Amino acid sequence: MTQPPSTGPRGKQPGPGGQFSPEELRRLRLRGDRIMGVGLFVLGIFGTIIHMSSVTEQSLVTQVALLYHQLDLGAYVRPADLDLVATAGVIAHVVNYAVWLYVAVRRWNSGKRAMWCAAVGAVIAVAITLAVVTAAMFAHPEVIDWFANGAPAPSPTPTQ
């Protein structure tokens, strides 16, 4: 006894769209990951340049001098080691970008996803910038005193 060929709800018509094999899906995902990752790393070049410019010595002097003015701390005097802080910040940004690009290329060459490397590098770049700016601010004893003691209280004014 022979069984009739099994048919689906469409009869013998093919189903909707073709199905990709698992290997084809993997290849397409890796291709998409690589395209998006390269795009993010290209944007990362510009982000790195912007972050590097925000931690140069002149930029740090400008930022801290503005803080002095806003907090009414008196005349600004540039500390001697501010150039070391700025140089460390610029170098840290270059190293951060290079390390994450290297990790991404190694992962792509081994057939793994690596777009996340650009995002991690961007988060670390923000942390580096915040750390350098904070270090530059705390290189000034007046800023440390202001944060430790708080803003001076305003003198009371008589009420009518």
Side-chain angles (χ1 to χ4, degrees), residues 7-148:
T7 58
R10 292 180 195 82
K12 294 189 182 224
Q13 297 295 321
Q19 295 291 325
F20 292 112
S21 70
E23 184 56 37
E24 183 69 15
L25 278 174
R26 184 179 185 292
R27 189 185 68 75
L28 289 172
R29 286 183 181 136
L30 286 174
R31 181 177 175 216
D33 181 80
R34 189 171 290 183
I35 289 169
M36 292 296 293
V38 167
L40 288 175
F41 275 107
V42 168
L43 287 174
I45 290 171
F46 297 108
T48 300
I49 291 169
I50 290 169
H51 278 283
M52 286 169 49
S53 68
S54 69
V55 296
T56 62
E57 185 176 2
Q58 185 57 45
S59 177
L60 294 174
V61 166
T62 303
Q63 292 174 47
V64 178
L66 180 62
L67 181 68
Y68 262 66
H69 177 70
Q70 289 174 342
L71 300 179
D72 197 26
L73 295 177
Y76 174 76
V77 177
R78 185 179 95 49
D81 59 347
L82 192 61
D83 57 340
L84 296 174
V85 172
T87 303
V90 170
I91 291 171
H93 279 297
V94 172
V95 169
N96 177 50
Y97 184 85
V99 164
W100 286 108
L101 181 60
Y102 175 77
V103 170
V105 169
R106 291 280 304 220
R107 288 184 60 83
W108 283 327
N109 287 340
S110 64
K112 297 177 182 176
R113 289 181 165 190
M115 183 179 69
W116 59 268
C117 295
V120 171
V123 170
I124 292 173
V126 170
I128 290 170
T129 299
L130 289 174
V132 170
V133 171
T134 302
M137 287 182 189
F138 285 116
H140 300 80
E142 297 86 1
V143 175
I144 295 172
D145 289 341
W146 190 90
F147 279 110

